[in-house]
Amino acid sequence: MRILAYTLLFGFAFSVVSQQKGEQSLAQLEESPAGSKIIWFLDALEAGEMSDQSIEKYFAPKLIDKSGVDKLKGAFENIKNNDGRLILYQADRKNITEYKLIVKGTKSNEWMAMGFIFEDDSPYRIAGFTIDSIEGAYDSLKSIYPKSN
């Protein structure tokens, strides 16, 4: 009984830590239902693949209805063609459904601010995203994803 209580307490504490606001580690992103979709997005950009099935799985129905599958695929292709792979340097969790990122394109070599909004409820699919060039000195930041950079 005591082991079960400790396990449940540890699990609760880990869950609370992984749901905290503010700057997120890679582990926190991977553990978060919304944050894990950011990792998927970055990986999909590198692979250059955005299928209709992945759009239905990872994007909110309201966004799909509003923008359309072709427009979402076009936005994805524009990022891939103009910026290349996006290297993640900082992820800031504003709340359970909003993240702000600092990324750098491997092709464009530009620093960018990227925002993700997620559904309010599980499965926390992507309800919107933005990407804008930013100016500033971010060269002191260390990349957090992918791990090899």
Side-chain angles (χ1 to χ4, degrees):
M1 180 69 167
R2 184 172 272 164
I3 293 172
L4 177 60
Y6 289 138
T7 303
L8 291 175
L9 183 61
F10 176 75
F12 175 74
F14 182 75
S15 176
V16 169
V17 168
S18 69
Q19 301 298 318
Q20 290 178 344
K21 292 180 185 179
E23 195 167 326
Q24 302 287 290
S25 68
L26 179 58
Q28 288 172 308
L29 283 174
E30 292 172 335
E31 291 294 322
S32 163
S36 64
K37 288 171 183 69
I38 292 170
I39 300 300
W40 165 82
F41 189 94
L42 297 173
D43 287 343
L45 272 173
E46 181 185 21
E49 298 177 13
M50 183 64 70
S51 67
D52 291 356
Q53 293 83 6
S54 60
I55 286 177
E56 290 177 17
K57 181 176 180 180
Y58 291 101
F59 290 87
K62 288 182 182 180
L63 179 61
I64 295 169
D65 291 344
K66 180 180 177 183
S67 299
V69 171
D70 290 338
K71 189 172 182 180
L72 289 171
K73 282 183 176 179
F76 181 85
E77 285 298 317
N78 283 338
I79 296 168
K80 173 90 174 133
N81 292 336
N82 294 326
D83 299 306
R85 177 162 202 181
L86 297 182
I87 307 300
L88 177 60
Y89 285 84
Q90 187 172 319
D92 186 25
R93 184 179 185 163
K94 299 299 183 183
N95 57 53
I96 196 166
T97 61
E98 184 179 358
Y99 285 79
K100 298 292 182 191
L101 313 175
I102 294 178
V103 299
K104 188 175 187 180
T106 57
K107 188 174 181 180
S108 66
N109 205 34
E110 285 187 42
W111 290 102
M112 293 165 275
M114 193 166 195
F116 279 92
I117 304 285
F118 297 92
E119 294 175 306
D120 292 332
D121 298 306
S122 184
Y124 300 104
R125 291 171 289 202
I126 299 167
F129 66 94
T130 60
I131 187 165
D132 296 300
S133 293
I134 54 175
E135 293 186 27
Y138 298 99
D139 291 331
S140 64
L141 294 176
K142 302 276 188 227
S143 66
I144 61 173
Y145 192 81
K147 294 177 185 177
S148 62
N149 284 4

